Amino acid sequence: MATPQIAPAHRAPAPAPAPAVGPEPLATEAAVEVRGVTRHFGGVRALHDLDITAPRGRITVLLGPNGAGKTTAIRIVTGALPPDQGSVRTLGLDPAEDGDAVRARCGVVSAKPALYDRLSGMDNLRYSGQLYGVRGDLDAKIRAAADRFGILHALEQQVGGYSTGMKTRLALARSVLHEPTLLLYDEPTSGLDPESSQAVLRLIREMTHDGHTVVLCTHHLVEAEGLADHVVVLDGGTSLTSGAPDELARRLWPHAMVRIGVEDPAHLAVLARLEGVLDVRPGESDGVVTDLDDLRRVPDVVAALHAAGARITRVDPWVPTLEDLYVRVRADAGAPVLDPEDAR
């Protein structure tokens, strides 16, 4: 099929073609390693001493407010932008030297995917497949990718008539068409309804089951909660903290915490005398938050309260959420404490 001819005013940015011969990626534990990267745009500093590690075969989520540097970081990782200083290794390669090879092994979806609205979904994917030099039966690979993302039924329709969710699914299908190793998704659920968002997130999780590595920018902390294997919190172009959510929670809250409520607060005085109770502080209206050296102390605590005559209304081990972690990290760093829904 001839390459579609589209007027420049309607042309979406085309992905770089894969090189005929390129260096093979090195075997490293991390798919992405960004170290001490700084990047300016004129007199504006977008990134400052930025560190990011994305483990292979996992989903790394970049969290931060608008202007935190997430999108710039993605462009640095692919080599679309060079750093002013610092080092970048993507799949073991230096994007500054091997940019074409790096980009050929990456699949990228931006918050507003650039698609050809006047072409069908099939022609959009054919064009992309030709640019990436996809070998073999291209149409069969297109149908397989479209089927995976639930867009197969709409391939012959003009993309201009697609819903926002359908366009996102088409962009996701395009991102895996050339069988990349690293997937970089910048707010892929932007503009989607809750049901479509959940469907897209399930599909992204499935990517790691096939050995892909995903780096995801999202402003929905609830979405990241069940998705993130590794988290990087950004602010002002630098990383405030990073790690697995459970590891970060243990670092910030080293002791087990339990919310305890009773009908008569006077009975709570017994807690301070119990072995394993490290701290007792006011909680909600009917109780306290208790720090324990081990959650296995909970039955002993309940038994002691019962023996003191307390009528217990609540025993609730507290497990910090990603939202709790995000707010705490920003507060500890002295960054403005924003509404978590602004964590873009």
Side-chain angles (χ1 to χ4, degrees):
M1 179 190 121
T3 300
Q5 300 298 313
I6 301 173
H10 301 286
R11 185 178 296 279
V21 178
E24 287 300 315
L26 302 178
T28 60
E29 280 191 22
V32 174
E33 293 178 288
V34 174
R35 294 286 177 266
V37 164
T38 296
R39 170 72 196 198
H40 292 81
F41 293 99
V44 177
R45 187 178 65 188
L47 302 178
H48 174 64
D49 199 24
L50 177 66
D51 292 329
I52 294 176
T53 298
R56 283 183 181 266
R58 298 289 184 267
I59 296 178
T60 295
V61 175
L62 307 186
L63 293 173
N66 283 326
K70 301 187 300 298
T71 299
T72 302
I74 294 294
R75 297 176 70 189
I76 290 281
V77 166
T78 64
L81 285 175
D84 295 335
Q85 63 184 50
S87 64
V88 182
R89 304 295 290 185
T90 303
L91 301 173
L93 301 173
D94 182 349
E97 297 180 359
D98 303 307
D100 286 344
V102 166
R103 288 184 286 277
R105 296 180 176 103
C106 293
V108 181
V109 175
S110 62
K112 295 181 179 179
L115 299 166
Y116 293 103
D117 283 354
R118 295 183 180 181
L119 299 183
S120 68
M122 174 64 83
D123 284 342
N124 267 269
L125 294 180
R126 280 180 181 147
Y127 184 40
S128 181
Q130 291 165 2
L131 286 171
Y132 271 106
V134 175
R135 298 173 183 174
D137 189 340
L138 176 57
D139 280 8
K141 292 182 178 181
I142 287 172
R143 286 190 291 272
D147 187 41
R148 180 172 201 169
F149 291 98
I151 203 73
L152 182 61
H153 68 285
L155 280 183
E156 300 306 326
Q157 299 174 22
Q158 193 176 56
V159 169
Y162 279 21
S163 67
T164 301
M166 291 169 67
K167 287 183 177 181
T168 297
R169 288 170 181 263
L170 183 64
L172 288 167
R174 184 177 64 182
S175 75
V176 302
L177 188 59
H178 56 296
E179 300 179 356
T181 303
L182 175 62
L183 301 171
L184 302 158
Y185 294 154
D186 191 355
E187 300 195 27
T189 63
S190 177
L192 301 187
D193 60 79
E195 184 176 319
S196 297
S197 294
Q198 288 303 312
V200 166
L201 294 172
R202 283 195 299 271
L203 292 166
I204 291 174
R205 168 52 72 189
E206 289 174 7
M207 297 291 98
T208 60
H209 297 164
D210 296 341
H212 292 88
T213 300
V214 178
V215 177
L216 172 72
C217 303
T218 180
H219 68 275
H220 292 299
L221 291 171
V222 173
E223 291 179 355
E225 182 81 44
L227 200 65
D229 300 313
H230 189 82
V231 173
V232 182
V233 180
L234 304 180
D235 187 70
T238 193
S239 46
L240 301 181
T241 193
S242 64
D246 289 348
E247 169 199 330
L248 293 176
R250 286 192 298 270
R251 191 187 309 169
L252 293 169
W253 294 280
H255 304 300
M257 288 178 285
V258 180
R259 294 187 178 101
I260 299 175
V262 296
E263 287 185 353
D264 182 357
H267 289 115
L268 293 171
V270 71
L271 293 175
R273 302 192 295 270
L274 298 180
E275 184 178 359
V277 174
L278 305 176
D279 187 31
V280 180
R281 56 192 179 277
E284 296 178 1
S285 59
D286 64 342
V288 294
V289 176
T290 304
D291 288 354
L292 303 176
D293 61 0
D294 196 307
L295 275 179
R296 287 175 293 185
R297 300 279 192 186
V298 170
D300 296 334
V301 169
V302 171
L305 286 169
H306 181 72
R311 290 175 59 84
I312 300 170
T313 59
R314 178 180 190 178
V315 178
D316 180 18
W318 183 71
V319 178
T321 65
L322 192 57
E323 179 178 320
D324 296 322
L325 190 152
Y326 174 80
V327 172
R328 171 71 180 273
V329 166
R330 288 184 60 82
D332 287 353
V337 179
L338 306 174
D339 184 326
E341 283 303 303
D342 291 330
R344 300 170 189 251

